[in-house]
Amino acid sequence: MHQMLSKILFNIEVSPTYYKMGIDCPEIASRAAPGQFIMVRVSNQLDPLLRRPFVIHRIQRANTGSYSQVEILYKIVGKGTEIMSEMKEYDDIDLLGPVGNGYKIDNNIRTAVLVGGGIGAAPLLSLAERIISQCSKLKSLILLLGGKGRADVLCVEEFERLGVEVRVATEDGSLEHRGLVVDLLLDYLESGDYSPGSSTHCFACGPDTMLKEVSKIIAEKGISCQISLESRMACAVGACLGCVVRTKAGGDVYKKVCKDGPVFDSNEIFWDESTTIG
Amino acid sequence: MDLSVNIGGIQLKNPVMTASGTFGYGEEYAPYVGLDKLGAIVVKGISLKPRPGNPPPRIVETTGGMLNSIGLENIGVDRFIGEKLPYLIDSGATIIVNIFGSSIEEYGDVANKLDDTHGISGLEINISCPNVKEGGIIFGSDPHMAFEVVNFVRQSTKLPLIIKLSPNVTDIAEIARSVQDAGADALSLINTIKGMAIDIETKTPKLANITGGLSGPAIKPIALRMVWEVARVTKIPVIGIGGIMNAYDALEFIIAGASAIQVGTANFVNPKATVDILSGIEKYLSDHRIGDIKSLIGTLSRE
Ligand SMILES: Cc1cc2nc3c(=O)[nH]c(=O)nc-3n(C[C@H](O)[C@H](O)[C@H](O)COP(=O)(O)OP(=O)(O)OC[C@H]3O[C@@H](n4cnc5c(N)ncnc54)[C@H](O)[C@@H]3O)c2cc1C
Ligand SMILES: Cc1cc2nc3c(=O)[nH]c(=O)nc-3n(C[C@H](O)[C@H](O)[C@H](O)COP(=O)(O)O)c2cc1C
Ligand code: FES
């Protein structure tokens, strides 16, 4: 993991309150894997104090052909992300990364089902790119994307450009299916368009309530599922023990989202009211 | 330039230490900091048996600080000695082990186990954690209890003893004198200040434990005042802790009477905070033509 000052390449609003930031940081880009994250120091003042975690949205090659840029996709939810949204091209940004364990991608995947809720789409783009380049037996790559409304459904075009089949659910019905992304998952599993067994893998990122449901549904079908968790963090190096999530006993009760995750096997997690940040 | 200080028998190459619970077992920060470059590494609080800690959420940011209710999660003294200590010894660091117990006997048992262990320079006795009932605060808030626990630990080990004091008391100087009388070699202060934060939408506490300990720049003025109050009335060295983010903060504590300082929350913001603070102190000394840091300790003047 590295700490560095990097240059912002762009910082644009992609949908109301959602921004995409490109950062020039070969140290992170050359080592990063889908699912890993970076810690951003949003200000050099003492408030906001702590770094903010953001998952790597995309790992990009520069003209030179080497991986040298990372992109993050973020939503304004508080003072830190508000400050970030005002950052400009060529500004310096203080980063720590890449942090954590990314997705484990089995080369023999035939069917991959990605499930994203709102900003949870962020890590799935670099994941889709990696699955496509790494899994030669891949038959079907499908993305189920949910959001409150049309503005919360992100990156559909980027996924489609990769050849991913995208199905969308919005709670207010402003785009495609009215309802939850979990409905799409149930439909998909019902349709039986996948080969049950070890060649089908599910990857999910989104709010805890969604992850909890997805984990339950997937477990019933015996499909392996990796989920990307959020939790409040201070150090991101495994030192403060602040970011823990409750796991199904057996060994340590709590695991660190920053170091043991943020990607976990869905079977590992013990879901209760206080699993992570609620 | 002489940066070395002696803390109750522990010789430190410089006054910059890490604060317990904010630097893991040292190895977590080794990519950023040469562990042997610091005065000492104080490890996460250790108890006799492993502890799972409190349920999440365990941390929340507040204005200029953070609340934590980790609940003293740790791997227990045996695994610490077996799994974590060898790495620290290899790194060349000066090692101080922070310990706590749920009874006076347990404090003694942990101290005793570490007494027989090679490579440890001293113990820091936490009698001040606000987050668990048995985690020390009951020992740290009453001068008689504080005396008893320190007196007992004193008899369980020959290692130098640093007693870590709680700010959650009416008169910290009284507790300080009492543990000095019980045989403490040095004092460290402050631990976190008990606080809370509420989510006004859900009307629920932001921490699962409801309350937590406040740390970071928000607590610095209180910490500084307490260090000054304690250093005036005790003879043993005092280690200043609380919201130290940079060398200027550290120097304030030293002028107030601290012989050394510990860096906590700042590590989270800047993983190289300790070494940055150390070089800032060196620069100040050279700018002010001070050849020996010891001549700066407790130099607060009233004019
Ligand atoms: C591993 C990981 C990856 C993430 N990736 C993304 C991403 O790609 N895009 C994105 O928009 N968001 C992401 N988040 C959530 C993001 O970190 C928070 O939205 C952000 O920290 C909010 O900061 P703020 O100052 O705007 O909000 P405030 O509410 O003012 O923040 C106050 C404190 O709470 C913490 N906090 C608030 N919300 C969250 C949250 N959901 N998760 C963790 N900590 C939180 C902040 O870090 C800060 O310490 C991720 C979180 C984690 C743990
Ligand atoms: C996440 C966290 C964990 C802590 N754990 C311990 C601990 O195990 N034992 C202890 O004596 N103090 C512990 N502390 C207190 C710190 O060592 C220090 O006294 C306090 O944070 C004030 O310093 P700061 O403002 O520089 O962080 C902890 C503090 C934090 C923030
Ligand atoms: S954020 Fe500190 S241990 Fe994970």
Side-chain angles (χ1 to χ4, degrees), chain A:
Chain A
M1 213 194 303
H2 294 258
Q3 187 212 347
M4 73 216 71
L5 268 191
S6 300
K7 282 265 176 280
I8 293 176
L9 300 167
F10 60 85
N11 189 25
I12 46 170
E13 188 169 33
V14 292
S15 181
T17 74
Y18 291 94
Y19 284 73
K20 185 158 83 171
M21 183 187 280
I23 308 164
D24 181 38
C25 52
E27 299 90 339
I28 293 178
S30 60
R31 288 173 184 80
Q36 289 189 298
F37 64 100
I38 58 175
M39 291 295 278
V40 174
R41 187 165 175 190
V42 294
S43 134
N44 49 20
Q45 304 297 308
L46 298 178
D47 189 71
L49 183 67
L50 299 172
R51 289 172 182 267
R52 272 42 178 168
F54 296 93
V55 79
I56 293 169
H57 174 52
R58 213 161 192 189
I59 309 158
Q60 296 278 50
R61 288 180 206 267
N63 299 335
T64 57
S66 57
Y67 287 106
S68 67
Q69 302 170 7
V70 296
E71 290 174 13
I72 57 175
L73 187 69
Y74 63 97
K75 179 176 169 58
I76 299 181
V77 297
K79 57 185 171 187
T81 42
E82 179 83 52
I83 294 171
M84 283 170 64
S85 73
E86 281 149 23
M87 292 178 174
K88 299 271 175 308
E89 189 185 355
Y90 303 124
D91 281 353
D92 284 331
I93 186 163
D94 182 343
L95 306 178
L96 201 67
V99 190
N101 295 310
Y103 299 101
K104 293 186 202 66
I105 304 171
D106 182 337
N107 288 336
N108 297 317
I109 294 180
R110 284 174 188 275
T111 307
V113 186
L114 316 188
V115 185
I119 193 65
L124 302 180
L125 190 63
S126 64
L127 173 66
E129 286 177 331
R130 193 59 68 89
I131 290 175
I132 290 166
S133 67
Q134 189 181 318
C135 306
S136 54
K137 297 176 187 152
L138 186 70
K139 286 262 165 20
S140 146
L141 178 53
I142 177 160
L143 170 71
L144 312 176
L145 206 51
K148 286 209 163 59
R150 143 191 305 272
D152 306 298
V153 178
L154 306 169
C155 314
V156 173
E157 276 165 35
E158 281 95 328
F159 282 103
E160 284 178 344
R161 229 174 285 143
L162 294 174
V164 179
E165 182 191 338
V166 184
R167 298 182 193 170
V168 172
T170 49
E171 286 172 42
D172 64 3
S174 54
L175 201 64
E176 296 191 30
H177 171 78
R178 177 195 288 271
L180 299 173
V181 70
V182 172
D183 307 339
L184 301 179
L185 181 62
L186 285 169
D187 282 351
Y188 175 77
L189 295 172
E190 202 107 307
S191 72
D193 281 351
Y194 63 98
S195 44
S198 63
S199 64
T200 300
H201 287 243
C202 177
F203 303 86
C205 184
D208 278 0
T209 43
M210 180 201 105
L211 294 178
K212 184 176 171 176
E213 277 298 304
V214 169
S215 301
K216 207 175 94 198
I217 296 167
I218 287 289
E220 284 162 9
K221 296 283 173 186
I223 297 172
S224 103
C225 179
Q226 295 175 48
I227 56 176
S228 192
L229 293 182
E230 289 185 356
S231 125
R232 295 209 200 105
M233 294 187 175
C235 71
V237 302
C240 75
L241 310 179
C243 63
V244 300
V245 57
R246 185 141 185 221
T247 60
K248 293 177 183 155
D252 300 325
V253 184
Y254 293 115
K255 286 200 169 174
K256 300 182 251 284
V257 173
C258 72
K259 208 164 182 199
D260 304 319
V263 176
F264 290 91
D265 187 313
S266 63
N267 288 321
E268 268 184 279
I269 305 303
F270 179 87
W271 295 101
D272 64 6
E273 292 69 46
S274 65
T275 298
T276 49
I277 49 175

Side-chain angles (χ1 to χ4, degrees), chain B residues 135-261:
Chain B
I137 187 67
I138 50 167
F139 301 108
S141 44
D142 175 79
H144 303 290
M145 290 284 275
F147 182 94
E148 291 301 323
V149 71
V150 174
N151 189 37
F152 192 77
V153 176
R154 178 70 291 165
Q155 288 158 34
S156 312
T157 177
K158 289 178 289 299
L159 288 167
L161 293 184
I162 303 164
I163 313 303
K164 185 160 178 182
L165 302 182
S166 170
N168 303 306
V169 296
T170 316
D171 184 357
I172 196 167
E174 187 189 5
I175 313 263
R177 275 193 303 254
S178 166
V179 301
Q180 174 177 265
D181 294 344
D185 298 299
L187 302 165
S188 59
L189 62 148
I190 58 176
N191 207 318
T192 53
I193 300 173
K194 198 167 174 174
M196 71 186 284
I198 294 172
D199 182 326
I200 57 168
E201 296 304 325
T202 57
K203 301 195 181 78
T204 53
K206 288 190 178 177
L207 293 173
N209 190 52
I210 305 178
T211 62
L214 183 64
S215 65
I219 71 170
K220 198 193 84 179
I222 299 173
L224 192 60
R225 183 265 294 177
M226 290 188 156
V227 164
W228 175 72
E229 279 180 354
V230 165
R232 293 171 72 194
V233 301
T234 50
K235 295 185 203 68
I236 51 181
V238 172
I239 302 167
I241 322 168
I244 297 176
M245 300 302 287
N246 54 45
Y248 305 122
D249 296 335
L251 288 159
E252 280 190 70
F253 279 87
I254 293 170
I255 292 166
S259 300
I261 56 100

Side-chain angles (χ1 to χ4, degrees), chain A residues 234 239-242, chain B residues 18-22 42-46 59 66-70 72-73 98-100 124-129 131 164-165 189-193 213-220 241-245 262-266 268:
Chain A
C240 75
L241 310 179
Chain B
T18 63
S20 177
T22 66
V42 183
V43 300
K44 173 72 189 165
I46 303 285
I59 53 177
M66 63 178 279
L67 290 164
N68 88 80
S69 61
I70 308 301
L72 296 174
E73 173 177 345
N98 180 290
I99 66 165
F100 67 94
E124 183 176 59
I125 316 299
N126 179 4
I127 55 166
S128 47
C129 181
N131 295 324
K164 185 160 178 182
L165 302 182
L189 62 148
I190 58 176
N191 207 318
T192 53
I193 300 173
L214 183 64
S215 65
I219 71 170
K220 198 193 84 179
I241 322 168
I244 297 176
M245 300 302 287
Q262 292 181 8
V263 180
T265 302
F268 305 153

